[in-house]
Amino acid sequence: MHLKNSKILYSLVILLGAVAPVNVSGEKVVPLRFGDMEHWTERHIKESAVIGGNEKVPYEIGPDAVIEGNIPYKNQGGSPWGNSNVMAKVAGVVKTNNTVTPDTHRNGRCAKMTTHIESLKVLGLVNINVLAAGSIFLGDMKEPITGTKDGVKALNWGIPFTQRPRALRFDYKFSTPGTPNRVKQTGFSHKSTVPGPDYGVALLFLQKREEDPQGNITAKRVGTMVVKYAKSTSGWVENATYEIMYGDITGDPRYDASTMALTNTDYARNSKGVSVPITETGWADKGETPTHLMIQFSSSHGGAFIGTPGNTLWVDNVRLVY
C-alpha cells in the first residue's frame, strides 16, 4: 500500500501540531500533539436504568470541551489519542468505563491510568464485577462497543507516520501494590488467579504496512521500544528517554519475546473502513522507512480482564527524540 501525500501530511500535522521542535545539545525533540496532556474532553453519559441509571463522566485526550448525551465518540480537534474509556451498548444497555482521568503534574495536568474492578448491579440484584485496566494509545475507538469479543476489533491501532526517531521521551510515575500474582475477572465467571506480578507498560512500534486488494493488512516491524514498570517509583521520573531499536532485534540482549515479539492480535481499519487484523510477517531491514506509528501506555499487562487492582501509571509530556 503506497502512502498518499495526504496521509504523509496528516502524519506531520498530528505529530507536530503548532509546536515547534526544541533543539537541546544537538537533539531535535518533537512533542506529540496533545501529548502534554493539558487538554481533555468531558463526556456526560447516562447509563441505562437497569444498571442504576447513573451519569458518568469519561474523559478523552482532546480539546477542552463538554459533550452531553450518549453520543459515540470520535477523536476531536486533531487529537491522535484514544483510550480505554469507552461507551458500550450491549442488548440495548448502555455502560461506560472510566480508567483514564486527568491528574496534576507540576503546574499542569497529566494522564492517570488505573486498574480497578468495575462493578454494577443489574436490576439492583445481580452483581457483575469486571477488571479493567487504564490505557492510552495512538489511534481511536469505534463506539459503541457491542460485546466483549468486539472490543479489540473496535481499536484502530496507530497513525500514519514516515519518520525514524531515535527515542521516545516522557515523564512518568508508577504505583503498584506489588502482589505476586494477578487476577482475572471477566464478569461472567469467578475471579481466578493468573501467575506472575503485574506491571505497567510503555510501548512504541514502527511498522511498514501493506494492504492487499481484499483489504487484508500485513506489516513488517521497523522499530521497537517496550518498557515494563514492576516497582513503584518514589515520585515523578522526568524526561525518561528510551531508545528505539530498529530492524531484527531478536539477537539483541534487550529483546524480550513476551512483549516485543511480532504480533497478529492488533486491529486497524483498512482503506474500505473495515476493521481487520494487522499481521506482522517479519522484521524490516534496519534502514526501512515506516508507514505507521503505534504508541501505548497501560497500567497493566496480560490482556483483557487481567491485572492487579490499584496499579496506576501517570504519564505526561510525550515526545519523540531525533
Side-chain angles (χ1 to χ4, degrees), residues 11-30:
S11 170
L12 293 174
V13 168
I14 286 293
L15 287 164
L16 298 178
V19 183
V22 179
N23 288 289
V24 180
S25 302
E27 291 182 337
K28 184 172 74 170
V29 181
V30 181

Side-chain angles (χ1 to χ4, degrees), residues 34 36-42 59-66 83 85 100-103 109-112 136 315:
F34 289 91
D36 60 2
M37 307 300 166
E38 292 298 323
H39 304 282
W40 295 77
T41 301
E42 289 185 18
Y59 290 88
E60 306 287 346
I61 301 169
D64 297 319
V66 175
N83 70 38
N85 292 348
V100 178
T101 57
D103 204 352
R109 304 171 99 182
C110 64
K112 178 182 178 182
I136 65 175
V315 169

Side-chain angles (χ1 to χ4, degrees), residues 64-85:
D64 297 319
V66 175
I67 299 175
E68 299 285 355
N70 299 0
I71 301 170
Y73 184 78
K74 295 181 179 180
N75 287 19
Q76 304 287 309
S79 173
W81 296 96
N83 70 38
S84 53
N85 292 348

Side-chain angles (χ1 to χ4, degrees), residues 3 7 43 52 61 71 84 90 94 190 196 209 225 233 244 249 282 311:
L3 285 177
K7 286 191 174 182
R43 306 171 63 193
I61 301 169
I71 301 170
S84 53
V90 182
V94 174
H190 294 294
R209 297 182 187 174
M225 190 288 301
T233 60
I244 299 168
I249 60 172
N311 258 35

Side-chain angles (χ1 to χ4, degrees), residues 238-252:
E238 310 284 349
N239 298 315
T241 304
Y242 302 102
E243 178 189 351
I244 299 168
M245 296 181 285
Y246 282 88
D248 185 347
I249 60 172
T250 53
D252 192 297

Side-chain angles (χ1 to χ4, degrees), residues 3-161:
L3 285 177
K4 296 180 181 178
N5 290 335
S6 60
K7 286 191 174 182
I8 296 173
L9 290 173
Y10 173 79
S11 170
L12 293 174
V13 168
I14 286 293
L15 287 164
L16 298 178
V19 183
V22 179
N23 288 289
V24 180
S25 302
E27 291 182 337
K28 184 172 74 170
V29 181
V30 181
L32 273 74
R33 194 171 189 190
F34 289 91
D36 60 2
M37 307 300 166
E38 292 298 323
H39 304 282
W40 295 77
T41 301
E42 289 185 18
R43 306 171 63 193
H44 294 185
I45 294 176
K46 181 82 168 180
E47 294 186 334
S48 294
V50 69
I51 57 173
N54 298 317
E55 182 178 272
K56 297 293 182 67
V57 185
Y59 290 88
E60 306 287 346
I61 301 169
D64 297 319
V66 175
I67 299 175
E68 299 285 355
N70 299 0
I71 301 170
Y73 184 78
K74 295 181 179 180
N75 287 19
Q76 304 287 309
S79 173
W81 296 96
N83 70 38
S84 53
N85 292 348
V86 296
M87 178 179 69
K89 188 174 184 180
V90 182
V93 177
V94 174
K95 178 75 179 75
T96 64
N97 176 44
N98 200 13
T99 53
V100 178
T101 57
D103 204 352
T104 57
H105 176 216
R106 297 178 183 169
N107 296 319
R109 304 171 99 182
C110 64
K112 178 182 178 182
M113 293 153 273
T114 305
T115 301
H116 71 175
I117 302 295
E118 186 77 22
S119 299
L120 65 147
K121 286 187 177 182
V122 179
L123 295 173
L125 299 174
V126 181
N127 284 310
I128 297 176
N129 298 301
V130 177
L131 186 136
S135 176
I136 65 175
F137 58 91
L138 291 183
D140 61 85
M141 295 281 292
K142 184 178 181 181
E143 290 188 342
I145 306 299
T146 56
T148 56
K149 294 181 179 179
D150 294 332
V152 65
K153 295 181 181 179
L155 282 162
N156 182 36
W157 278 102
I159 62 172
F161 183 77

